[in-house]
Amino acid sequence: AQSVTQPDIHITVSEGASLELRCNYSYGATPYLFWYVQSPGQGLQLLLKYFSGDTLVQGIKGFEAEFKRSQSSFNLRKPSVHWSDAAEYFCAMDTGRRALTFGSGTRLQVQP
Amino acid sequence: ETGVTQTPRHLVMGMTNKKSLKCEQHLGHNAMYWYKQSAKKPLELMFVYSLEERVENNSVPSRFSPECPNSSHLFLHLHTLQPEDSALYLCASSQGDSLNEQFFGPGTRLTVL
């Protein structure tokens, strides 16, 4: 079955610290992968996407993600977190079926 | 207006009411989507419209009825809903119906009493 797993429901980091949010997928081939962010009361905004090529993908707001086929992972990273990064983060994949399959999300809290 | 807009932003309705959610995209896209976001559950795709034709209906109960009169507008008509239908309903659009970035609206927070 096709699925996206985000093992961490809730993460708290200090402002200025580094961040890594985990994402694992289950699919028989290489999917197209996305990270979205949702601030309270807002819709989802695309941070970055991986279709093919370089496995390290740069996105907006200083985020990057690395695709690792051997681990079926697409983890999101940021070297230094800002208070404005507090939000919910969703990993998603597109297998060409006209739909995105989303993970259940990771809520990020940033401590001053 | 830019991007994807949704109205109303909040809606409270009784189980016997009929209401409609509206979505409008100002991006020139040709595919539109309805998603349901419930607490503690992943986003669930409900419907996909491509070139104004419904191409996906993800086993959604008939009390939800979508309508896409043109490529810029998408509606979700609601009737005889249940309390478990309370959720955030998100609309999205994209250019093409697959493998393209989807742009999301802010959502309508629906509460069914």
Side-chain angles (χ1 to χ4, degrees), chain A residues 42-110:
Chain A
Q42 302 295 316
L44 278 69
Q45 181 184 20
L46 182 70
L47 286 175
L48 48 77
K49 58 189 177 185
Y50 172 77
F51 282 3
S52 64
D54 194 344
T55 56
L56 186 62
V57 180
Q58 301 297 320
I60 62 171
K61 304 185 181 187
F63 285 93
E64 66 178 27
E66 185 171 13
F67 171 67
K68 291 187 177 180
R69 186 191 312 272
S70 61
Q71 298 177 19
S72 298
S73 69
F74 188 56
N75 293 349
L76 182 71
R77 301 194 295 245
K78 186 169 185 179
S80 177
V81 169
H82 187 262
W83 64 266
S84 60
D85 294 324
E88 188 147 23
Y89 291 80
F90 294 92
C91 182
M93 72 174 177
D94 188 332
T95 59
R97 290 181 56 246
R98 298 195 179 96
L100 289 175
T101 301
F102 283 87
S104 53
T106 297
R107 181 165 298 281
L108 173 65
Q109 198 168 6
V110 180

Side-chain angles (χ1 to χ4, degrees), chain B residues 70-98:
Chain B
N70 56 62
S71 61
S72 299
H73 294 87
L74 184 66
F75 294 89
L76 188 62
H77 303 299
L78 316 170
H79 66 98
T80 60
L81 294 191
Q82 304 298 310
E84 60 264 29
D85 296 323
S86 299
L88 182 68
Y89 289 85
L90 291 165
C91 173
S93 71
S94 69
Q95 183 57 33
D97 59 2
S98 181

Side-chain angles (χ1 to χ4, degrees), chain B residues 5-74:
Chain B
T5 58
Q6 291 185 242
T7 54
R9 294 293 308 276
H10 300 271
L11 178 62
V12 179
M13 59 186 289
M15 289 191 286
T16 58
N17 291 159
K18 288 185 179 181
K19 296 287 185 183
S20 295
L21 309 186
K22 179 183 175 183
C23 174
E24 185 172 0
Q25 59 95 1
H26 310 269
L27 300 167
H29 291 162
N30 58 14
M32 297 187 76
Y33 312 75
W34 279 117
Y35 286 87
K36 177 183 179 182
Q37 186 177 26
S38 305
K40 303 188 191 317
K41 290 177 67 175
L43 275 81
E44 304 169 67
L45 179 70
M46 300 175 72
F47 301 103
V48 180
Y49 275 83
S50 178
L51 298 171
E52 301 155 39
E53 179 184 344
R54 190 190 311 179
V55 295
E56 186 96 16
N57 178 346
N58 219 21
S59 303
V60 179
S62 59
R63 56 186 185 269
F64 295 91
S65 174
E67 179 190 1
C68 188
N70 56 62
S71 61
S72 299
H73 294 87
L74 184 66

